[in-house]
Amino acid sequence: GYDDYESTRLAKLQGVAREEAAKAAAAPPPKKEAGKPAPAAPKPAELSREQQKEERRRSQQREKELQRIERDLEKREARITELEHQLADPELYHDVERSKTIVAEYEKLRAEVESLWQRMEELG
């Protein structure tokens, strides 16, 4: 039956994972190219003053944008909550135009909130 199939499938997956782990452990470490040191990331102390200023400026801009996004999210989510309460009222649907307007605003706000969350993730 399905249970037998699933247990067999999982056992195979675990076996493959063990084999790959064993191969990785047994493989010799990659050799470094002679005469070419690996490039090191610049340390903060090694950055020029202009680079440090630029980095601080970007960081401040990112923080300001994150704060703006948080405020926008709070406002939109509060409005969404208000609209959800209105949408829960059966009397709303007796007025077709009003219900359509509220549903449209609700959907628009939901899309905006999703977009703001995505932007927030991008900014980190």
Side-chain angles (χ1 to χ4, degrees):
Y2 180 76
D3 291 333
D4 293 333
Y5 163 77
E6 188 65 17
S7 63
T8 304
R9 186 182 70 81
L10 290 174
K12 285 181 183 178
L13 287 175
Q14 289 173 350
V16 169
R18 277 191 226 118
E19 288 175 13
E20 289 176 359
K23 286 180 186 177
K31 296 181 181 178
K32 291 184 179 180
E33 292 183 34
K36 291 187 179 180
K43 296 179 183 176
E46 295 175 358
L47 296 175
S48 72
R49 286 181 186 241
E50 289 181 23
Q51 289 171 328
Q52 289 175 354
K53 281 176 116 175
E54 181 65 23
E55 187 62 34
R56 275 195 303 271
R57 186 184 63 78
R58 283 189 206 137
S59 178
Q60 289 171 349
Q61 285 178 339
R62 186 172 45 250
E63 285 300 316
K64 285 180 182 178
E65 187 170 359
L66 281 171
Q67 290 172 357
R68 181 192 58 80
I69 290 172
E70 288 174 356
R71 287 190 306 271
D72 289 349
L73 279 169
E74 287 176 11
K75 290 177 186 175
R76 283 172 173 78
E77 288 176 344
R79 180 62 181 151
I80 285 173
T81 302
E82 292 173 10
L83 293 175
E84 286 173 343
H85 288 294
Q86 291 178 16
L87 290 169
D89 182 13
E91 293 296 316
L92 169 71
Y93 300 98
H94 293 293
D95 184 354
V96 176
E97 286 302 313
R98 184 169 173 248
S99 65
K100 284 182 181 180
T101 303
I102 290 175
V103 168
E105 182 182 358
Y106 177 80
E107 289 174 351
K108 177 184 170 215
L109 286 170
R110 294 288 300 207
E112 289 174 359
V113 164
E114 179 65 29
S115 176
L116 288 170
W117 277 111
Q118 287 176 353
R119 180 65 181 146
M120 193 174 229
E121 286 178 15
E122 291 171 4
L123 292 173

